[in-house]
Amino acid sequence: RRCCAVALLCIVAALAGGLALAECAFAAARAPLAPTATGTAGPAVGEQQVVREVASLVPPADRGPPRGRRIARSALPEASLLLANTGPTPAVVSEAFNVITFLPQYLWLLMVFAPGWSVTRKIMEPLWPVLLFSLVHLFIVFTVASTNDDNLADFTELAKVFDPRVSLNLLNDFSPQASMMTLMKSPGFVSEEWSHVLAWDLFVGRWIYLDGLRRGIFTSHSVLFCNLIGPPGLLLHAATCLLTGKGLPGEESTAAGDASTTA
């Protein structure tokens, strides 16, 4: 990345120098010629000044790179902290990515299309399926962190996402979104976040499914939406509970607990 940035700076400097030379040449072409002592037309004073300016743009060989370029090169290590690691992840992370992406889909199919089947109940009532896929997520996080050669850069960018100063300017400071977009260019970060989302979606979807079994509420549509877009599935389940007169999830158990305490 450092070499690419230096090359980009060199190209920009070359373009800027080329534009300056072109402007100077254009000005020289338009400058009037002043008569010399021999009577022939020679360069006017303005043209001589332009020539001197053009010569000043070309540094001597022993002068080294221009000052601006030296400054840019010295700033590159700090700029690299703003970039997420875009290197590929180990193959085992890609394999775990596929595992947590596709294997839970069979559980979702059971909860959506066969919620009352005894096999579905035996699989989904225990917490083990969610715990197993949570372990897959933990494995991805550990592997990415142990093989990432630029963890500091990722953590620096992640800290910007949760910069507390933004809470004082929520409607104008959009730097957290920009930092998140930078992090999303990192395959390691994408693998961590994707497995994070899938594990939590499964946890919430299982909870909706079990709540429907306990209280006799239809949940296939809510579980499906939870798998597809997450939180709207939970909102849909809450709306279904209210429309069917069952009350919001948890209200019955709380009321039963209060009644048993009173008794």
Side-chain angles (χ1 to χ4, degrees):
R1 291 199 301 268
R2 188 172 301 173
C3 294
C4 293
V6 172
L8 181 60
L9 289 174
C10 292
I11 292 173
V12 172
L15 290 175
L19 291 174
L21 289 173
E23 291 178 359
C24 293
F26 181 75
R30 296 184 60 185
L33 295 178
T36 61
T38 59
T40 59
V45 176
E47 181 180 355
Q48 294 174 2
Q49 183 177 359
V50 169
V51 172
R52 286 195 298 270
E53 291 179 356
V54 172
S56 66
L57 293 176
V58 182
D62 58 348
R63 185 180 298 178
R67 183 174 180 271
R69 192 173 301 175
R70 289 198 300 270
I71 294 175
R73 185 176 291 117
S74 64
L76 282 176
E78 296 179 7
S80 68
L81 295 178
L82 307 180
L83 303 176
N85 188 344
T86 57
T89 59
V92 68
V93 172
S94 300
E95 294 168 357
F97 184 96
N98 287 343
V99 167
I100 200 169
T101 298
F102 292 101
L103 291 189
Q105 300 308 315
Y106 297 104
L107 304 180
W108 289 106
L109 289 174
L110 289 175
M111 291 188 291
V112 172
F113 295 106
W117 191 23
S118 59
V119 175
T120 306
R121 294 190 178 194
K122 289 180 181 179
I123 294 175
M124 297 309 303
E125 283 181 352
L127 189 60
W128 287 113
V130 178
L131 293 178
L132 289 175
F133 289 113
S134 297
L135 286 175
V136 175
H137 167 66
L138 181 62
F139 171 78
I140 291 176
V141 171
F142 177 79
T143 305
V144 169
S146 61
T147 58
N148 187 358
D149 58 355
D150 206 0
N151 282 315
L152 180 60
D154 288 350
F155 280 114
T156 301
E157 200 67 24
L158 185 60
K160 293 183 179 182
V161 176
F162 296 98
D163 188 349
R165 294 173 295 182
V166 179
S167 61
L168 302 177
N169 194 18
L170 293 176
L171 302 182
N172 295 298
D173 189 348
F174 308 129
S175 57
Q177 184 185 43
S179 297
M180 196 67 177
M181 291 173 64
T182 300
L183 287 169
M184 283 299 179
K185 298 176 183 177
S186 167
F189 184 81
V190 168
S191 301
E192 296 169 0
E193 287 302 300
W194 180 243
S195 57
H196 175 176
V197 169
L198 292 181
W200 279 119
D201 281 354
L202 183 61
F203 177 83
V204 177
R206 171 185 172 272
W207 183 85
I208 293 174
Y209 164 74
L210 294 178
D211 183 63
L213 288 182
R214 285 191 299 267
R215 301 197 290 154
I217 302 171
F218 181 75
T219 59
S220 292
H221 61 308
S222 303
V223 171
L224 177 62
F225 271 81
C226 189
N227 183 27
L228 296 177
I229 49 179
L234 180 60
L235 294 174
L236 186 57
H237 178 61
T240 303
C241 294
L242 293 175
L243 291 175
T244 56
K246 300 289 186 176
L248 290 176
E251 289 185 354
E252 284 188 353
S253 59
T254 302
D258 293 341
S260 61
T261 303
T262 303

